[in-house]
Structure formats: C-alpha cells, structure tokens
C-alpha cells in the first residue's frame, strides 16, 4: 500500500473530514500530527489518541467540533498549555494552535507566539513525530513533511527537526524520549543527536521525577528493554536516574576468582522476564533484583566473591529508590520489595534435594507472589553454559511440581490458621495475651514443618497440648 493510501485509510473515519470542514468554516487549517501519523505509517496498532494542530486557536476549534459533531463529549481546556481535549465517539482528540518561538533582544526566555504549521513542526521533538496530515477539504490527505520525516521513518532513525541542542534545550525530556522511541520502535538515534545527548545529559536533572518515570515505564514495557537501558547508559543518562544500577558494573578479579558482571546480567534478566509477563511491577522487580549486590560485595579467601544479605539490603534500597523517584510507596512498591527480598529463596531450594517442609515454608512466605517469584528466578538463569542452563531449568520444574504436590495436601498459599486467636481465647477464657501468640505460632510451625496436617482437628489438639504446657485450662467446649 502506498504512503498516501495508508494514511487515507488510517484517517478514513468521517469525523476527520468533518473536522477539516469545521476548520475551513473558521478560516483556519487543521492537521493530524505526531504519534497518530507516525504510527499509521509504521502500521503499528493505531491508538485512538489523536493530536490535531491548527493555524489559529486550538481551543476555539475544539469548541466548534464539540458543538457540531454528534457523539462529542465536553471540552476540557488546559489554558496554560493552550490546548483542549474533546472525546468524539471512541476518539480522544487533543487540539493545539500552531506556535512559534521568538527570542527578544534583551531576554533569553522565548516568547511563544501564534505561528503556522511549519513553525510548529520545527518545535517538535523528532522529524518522525513532525509529520502532518491535512484535514481541510481542498488539501485533505496531503502529507506535510518539511524535515524529511518520511525518509527517517524509512531509515528507522530518530533525528531532531532543528539542531539537537535547540530541540533538547526546549525540553530535556526529549533525550529520554529518544531512547524510549528507539526501544519501542526499534529505531536508531542519529549520530549527531546522540552526541548532543551525551553533552547535555545532566540537563535531565531539571525534569520532574514523574516525567522521567513515565518514560522508564514505557521502556520497561517494550519487548527488549535492555536496548533502552544500555542506550541510557551509553548516553550518560542512566547514572542520573539509577546510580544503583550503574554501581553494578564491572567484573573484579582477585586470586584468579571473578564474579559475573551484574549490570549486564540484570538487563538479561529483564529481557527474559519480558518474554513471560507484561506485569510492569514484575519487570521492575527483575530490574532491581540485584541492586543490593554492589554494597554487599566482598572477597573471601575460601569461597571467593560473596554478596551476603544482598536481598535484604536490596529490598531496603527498593524503598529508597521508589521514594527518590517519587513513585507511590504503596502495595506495588511492597510487591517489588518482597520479590527482591525473596529472589534467592527458590534458587536455594532448587539446588538441593528439597524437603516438603522447605517448599511449604517458601509457599507460606511468598503467599500470593509464589508464581511471580518463580518466574523471576527462572528469568534469573542467564548462564551461557547449555548444560547448566538445562539443569537449572529442570530444577525449577521439580520445585514447581513439589509446590503443586504440597499445595494439594496442605493449601499453604493464603494460609489461614485452622484455629484462630478468638477460638483460643474463648477456649481458655482469657483475653489477648502473650500465650495466645505463642500457641498460634506453635500451630503454624507444626503445620509448616509437616508435623500435623493443615486441618482443624489436628490444630485443635495441638492447641490443647501447647496450652497445657503454658498452664492454661480449658473453660468451655468450642465445638458446640
Ligand atoms: N512532543 C514533542 N516534545 C515532547 C512531547 C511531545 O515535540 N516533549 C510532540 C511530538 O510531536 C509528539 C506529539 O507531541 O509526537 C505527541 O506527544 P505524545 O503524545 O507524548 O507522544 P506520541 O508521539 O503521540 O507517542 P506515544 O503516544 O507513543 O507516546
């Protein structure tokens, strides 16, 4: 299909012609621009978010569209940005007036003025995001491409319309967007643009953490995030966002003993987990699973390199990192923290002949996270030795089967004590006290050790036995 036919098809909904007609009545020109044009040409799955630029007031055009088109919602105006949003059917349209920047003699601050389409295209981040599709009746379907964005799309390259230094000074987030688009679209970044990013990398420090994290999320949600993270590193951006990851770099050797490079290993694990899950937070756990290794690294004459307690240290670092990056300190953070904390547990189990009790404890401690934890551990297998690769994976198959067997018998996941604190208090006619806790703990341990099954009668008998040891006398029968 030709470029023209592809675009005509992407914008064939009668709504687009109608918007062009409304713009014409208002004596302005309107265009779809940015991601929607780019993605249509790349034949990526087309989003319903459409950016529309007009040579006039975007807000007025939005109001007229909402007035005249059926299935329109209310207009939301963002005065500070000079933009307005309207839903029409399943589309979400964002309108903006074309702008240009001019610099006044005595000030370095730009003054934003009304401009024409080309002024606006110049101010955009990449040539492939500056392609505009005309909507007015006389020119409907014309592609306006003053910066050869189409050629760059073909060559799969990200290039700025103006000099990279100008474009990135306008908004340093664009340096991260370059990496994000390169990863999402599998594009390269033009060498001159790369050079400018390297020079300007520390400018990302002025950005809000929220904007940075939005880009990191998008990189993490791609199929091969390592491409993005290694690019961030190469461009000097990663150290400003994740110094903890940069500290994992390098291989040290003492007395002929080396450890693996945990920096590259981390991104391999991230790529691996992306093959099995779209869960953003599980991907975060893969990214952070080894961050405790830099501060805990030691060389020991007898055993070589050790990272004792790295899971514990790493879990604490997850909290600090989330806080610094202004990510919510909610259950998602706790989820990542718990996975980092437990990241070595199944590995230990998989390495030896494992008892039911060890499996039961693992399932108890992991709770609902057991499946994700196993996925993380399997993704952690990055050995290049095919025999070891197979052995490790087989060991996990065995662990998985053991978990199924133990679960069938004992239902440890979402463990609810078969005899609870209330019942113990009622049985012995006491209020909350230390003994209640001790009895509960004793029953739980007996179940996890496999001494008794996870069942009411066995637990009840155990309660009576432990209570007697503690000097408590039953007051009433609880099973009436
Ligand atoms: N844009 C820009 N500089 C930015 C952000 C956005 O020049 N810092 C312009 C680009 O032309 C971009 C358009 O605004 O194409 C819309 O931005 P956005 O919705 O963030 O990105 P899309 O290109 O639509 O891509 P995606 O939706 O995949 O993020």
């Amino acid at each position: 299909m030709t470029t023209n036919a592809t675009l005509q098809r992407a914008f064939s909904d009668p709504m687009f012609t109608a918007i062009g007609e409304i713009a014409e009545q208002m004596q302005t020109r309107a265009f779809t621009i940015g991601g929607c044009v780019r993605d249509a040409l790349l034949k990526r799955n087309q989003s319903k978010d459409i950016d529309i630029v007009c040579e006039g007031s975007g807000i007025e055009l939005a109001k007229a569209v909402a007035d005249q088109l059926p299935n329109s919602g209310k207009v939301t105006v963002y005065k500070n940005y000079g933009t307005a949003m309207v839903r029409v059917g399943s589309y979400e349209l964002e309108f903006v007036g074309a702008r240009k920047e001019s610099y006044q003699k005595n000030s370095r601050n730009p003054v934003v003025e009304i401009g024409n389409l080309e002024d606006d295209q110049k101010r955009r981040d990449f040539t492939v995001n500056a392609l505009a599709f005309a909507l007015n009746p006389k020119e409907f379907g014309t592609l306006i491409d003053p910066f050869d964005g189409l050629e760059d799309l073909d060559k799969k390259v990200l290039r700025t319309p103006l000099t990279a230094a100008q474009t990135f000074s306008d908004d340093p987030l664009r340096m991260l967007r370059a990496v994000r688009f390169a990863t999402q679209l599998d594009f390269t970044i033009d060498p001159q643009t790369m050079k400018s990013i390297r020079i300007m990398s520390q400018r990302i420090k002025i950005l809000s953490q929220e904007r940075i994290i939005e880009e990191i999320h998008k990189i993490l949600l791609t199929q091969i995030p390592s491409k993005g993270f290694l690019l961030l590193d190469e461009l000097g951006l990663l150290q400003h966002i994740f110094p903890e990851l940069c500290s994992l770099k390098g291989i040290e050797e003492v007395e002929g003993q080396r450890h693996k490079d945990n920096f590259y290993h981390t991104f391999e694990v991230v790529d691996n987990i992306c093959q099995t899950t779209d869960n953003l937070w599980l991907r975060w756990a893969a990214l952070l699973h080894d961050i405790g290794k830099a501060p805990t690294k030691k060389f020991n004459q007898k055993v070589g390199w050790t990272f004792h307690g790295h899971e514990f240290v790493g879990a604490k670092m997850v909290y600090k990192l989330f806080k610094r990056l202004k990510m919510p300190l909610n259950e998602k953070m706790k989820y990542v923290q718990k996975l980092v904390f437990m990241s070595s547990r199944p590995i230990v189990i998989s390495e030896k002949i494992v008892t039911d009790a060890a499996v039961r404890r693992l399932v108890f401690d992991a709770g609902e996270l057991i499946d994700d934890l196993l996925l993380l551990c399997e993704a952690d297998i990055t050995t290049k030795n095919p025999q070891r690769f197979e052995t490790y994976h087989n060991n996990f198959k065995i662990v998985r089967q053991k978990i199924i067997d133990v679960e069938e018998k004992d239902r440890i996941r979402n463990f609810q004590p078969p005899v609870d604190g209330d019942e113990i208090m009622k049985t012995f006619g006491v209020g909350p006290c230390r003994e209640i806790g001790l009895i509960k703990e004793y029953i739980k341990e007996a179940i996890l050790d496999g001494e008794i099954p996870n069942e009411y009668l066995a637990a009840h008998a155990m309660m009576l036995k432990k209570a007697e040891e503690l000097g408590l006398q039953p007051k009433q029968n609880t099973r009436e």
Side-chain angles (χ1 to χ4, degrees):
M1 211 189 281
T2 62
T3 302
N4 200 275
T6 306
L7 287 173
Q8 293 277 353
R9 189 179 197 178
F11 301 113
S12 61
D13 191 295
M15 173 192 77
F16 292 105
T17 356
I19 295 172
E21 278 157 13
I22 296 168
E24 188 73 22
Q25 285 161 26
M26 295 173 77
Q27 296 177 351
T28 177
R29 293 165 80 207
F31 309 84
T32 54
I33 192 161
C36 61
V37 181
R38 178 200 67 220
D39 288 347
L41 290 166
L42 288 174
K43 304 194 171 69
R44 289 180 85 217
N45 48 356
Q46 194 75 23
S47 127
K48 294 279 182 176
D49 292 352
I50 307 285
D51 288 323
I52 295 174
V53 63
C54 69
E55 293 179 326
S57 162
I59 297 175
E60 290 312 311
L61 180 59
K63 286 179 181 166
V65 166
D67 266 357
Q68 297 186 36
L69 295 192
N71 331 323
S72 300
K74 271 200 322 225
V75 183
T76 313
V77 175
Y78 303 97
K79 247 194 172 158
N80 289 348
Y81 300 100
T83 61
M85 202 275 284
V86 190
R87 271 180 213 285
V88 179
S90 56
Y91 288 98
E92 192 166 289
L93 309 177
E94 180 140 351
F95 292 86
V96 66
R99 285 170 288 190
K100 75 169 167 195
E101 269 175 15
S102 59
Y103 287 79
Q104 291 189 323
K105 267 188 203 145
N106 307 329
S107 163
R108 289 179 58 217
N109 291 333
V111 181
V112 179
E113 293 173 5
I114 293 172
N116 61 24
L117 175 69
E118 189 167 329
D119 295 325
D120 190 275
Q121 285 173 300
K122 255 187 223 163
R123 295 183 57 240
R124 289 182 180 260
D125 53 1
F126 304 108
T127 59
V128 296
N129 285 345
L131 291 158
F133 177 92
L135 298 177
N136 288 51
K138 268 179 264 159
E139 53 180 348
F140 189 91
T142 310
L143 183 69
I144 296 142
D145 178 21
F147 304 105
D148 298 326
L150 201 55
E151 199 185 316
D152 287 342
L153 264 190
D154 233 37
K155 292 197 292 200
K156 301 179 83 165
V157 67
L158 293 157
R159 197 167 51 84
T160 53
L162 298 176
T163 66
Q166 261 173 294
T167 301
F168 295 143
S169 299
D170 241 15
D171 181 3
L173 187 77
R174 290 168 168 174
M175 297 190 278
L176 291 180
R177 283 171 63 90
V179 175
R180 187 254 288 185
F181 284 123
T183 319
Q184 265 182 338
L185 307 174
D186 196 20
F187 275 33
T188 58
I189 303 175
D190 149 76
Q192 196 52 44
T193 308
M194 292 270 280
K195 205 166 150 194
S196 294
I197 298 180
R198 269 194 211 101
I199 294 168
M200 298 175 73
S201 59
Q202 86 287 2
R203 292 284 307 275
I204 66 160
K205 285 192 199 155
I206 65 166
L207 298 170
S208 74
Q209 301 293 349
E210 288 84 352
R211 292 185 80 204
I212 293 178
I213 286 306
E214 211 176 298
E215 295 303 320
I216 297 296
H217 282 336
K218 287 184 179 170
I219 293 173
L220 264 177
L221 286 170
T222 61
Q223 278 181 327
I224 308 177
S226 65
K227 177 172 174 171
F229 284 102
L230 295 176
L231 247 180
L232 286 176
D233 184 47
E234 192 187 335
L235 294 171
L237 296 164
L238 194 69
Q239 63 192 14
H240 298 300
I241 311 170
F242 294 113
E244 305 78 352
L245 287 177
C246 293
S247 309
L248 293 175
K249 263 189 212 170
I251 299 174
E252 267 191 83
E253 181 166 339
V254 175
E255 295 173 9
Q257 304 217 49
R258 293 152 66 91
H259 61 79
K260 66 174 173 247
D261 187 316
N262 286 304
F263 181 74
Y264 293 103
H265 163 74
T266 290
F267 300 121
E268 278 185 66
V269 178
V270 173
D271 286 351
N272 284 348
I273 202 101
C274 292
Q275 291 181 19
T276 53
T277 182
D278 291 333
N279 175 349
L280 174 65
W281 302 101
L282 184 47
R283 292 177 174 208
W284 266 100
L287 183 69
L288 302 181
H289 81 286
D290 269 350
I291 45 166
K293 279 196 171 169
T296 55
K297 181 164 98 173
K298 285 205 174 64
F299 184 76
N300 175 303
Q301 299 279 344
K302 285 195 193 126
V303 291
W305 291 100
T306 66
F307 304 91
H308 286 313
H310 81 85
E311 304 86 348
F312 179 72
V313 172
K316 283 189 159 184
M317 288 168 77
V318 168
Y319 172 82
K320 285 194 192 141
L321 187 144
F322 267 55
K323 196 163 179 209
R324 186 186 71 233
L325 297 175
K326 302 249 165 56
M327 301 214 284
L329 300 172
N330 56 12
E331 75 286 356
K332 306 279 191 259
M333 189 279 297
K334 288 191 188 140
Y335 166 90
V336 175
Q337 225 181 5
K338 186 164 175 182
L339 286 175
V340 171
F341 182 58
M342 294 196 70
S343 58
S344 305
R345 287 273 301 274
I347 300 174
V348 176
I349 282 194
S350 77
E351 277 169 355
K352 42 188 181 197
I353 301 160
V354 61
T355 60
D356 279 6
V359 173
R360 230 180 269 117
R361 280 191 186 276
L362 173 70
V363 176
F364 175 77
D365 291 340
E368 272 306 298
L369 270 52
I370 186 69
D371 296 322
D372 291 352
L373 181 63
L374 288 172
L375 286 179
L376 177 59
C377 289
E378 283 160 340
D380 205 359
I381 302 172
T382 59
T383 173
K384 303 291 172 289
N385 175 322
Q387 267 109 47
R388 266 190 234 148
F389 184 87
E390 213 188 314
T391 310
Y392 295 163
H393 273 281
N394 276 337
N395 287 348
F396 276 111
K397 276 193 198 135
I398 298 168
V399 172
R400 280 180 182 280
Q401 190 52 50
K402 281 250 172 200
I403 289 174
I404 293 170
D405 296 346
V406 164
E407 265 303 278
E408 262 173 22
K409 265 196 291 168
D410 295 334
R411 303 167 321 279
I412 294 298
R413 202 187 292 219
N414 291 325
F415 179 81
Q416 297 293 334
V419 170
D420 65 10
D422 264 358
E423 178 164 357
I424 305 172
M425 287 191 282
K426 264 196 214 151
T427 311
F428 300 101
V430 292
C433 58
R434 201 180 124 255
E435 282 77 5
I436 306 297
L438 289 175
I439 295 171
K440 278 174 67 181
E441 187 63 20
Y442 193 73
I443 296 172
K444 185 194 90 189
E445 288 296 312
I447 294 171
L448 291 180
D449 280 343
E451 242 177 84
I452 60 167
N454 184 11
E455 284 165 8
Y456 179 81
L457 285 178
H460 193 264
M462 187 119 270
M463 168 189 78
L464 293 174
K465 181 175 158 238
K466 184 67 186 169
E468 198 181 342
E469 277 173 39
L470 292 169
L472 292 177
Q473 296 298 320
K475 291 278 186 257
Q476 66 181 79
N477 184 356
T478 53
R479 300 217 82 199
E480 67 239 316

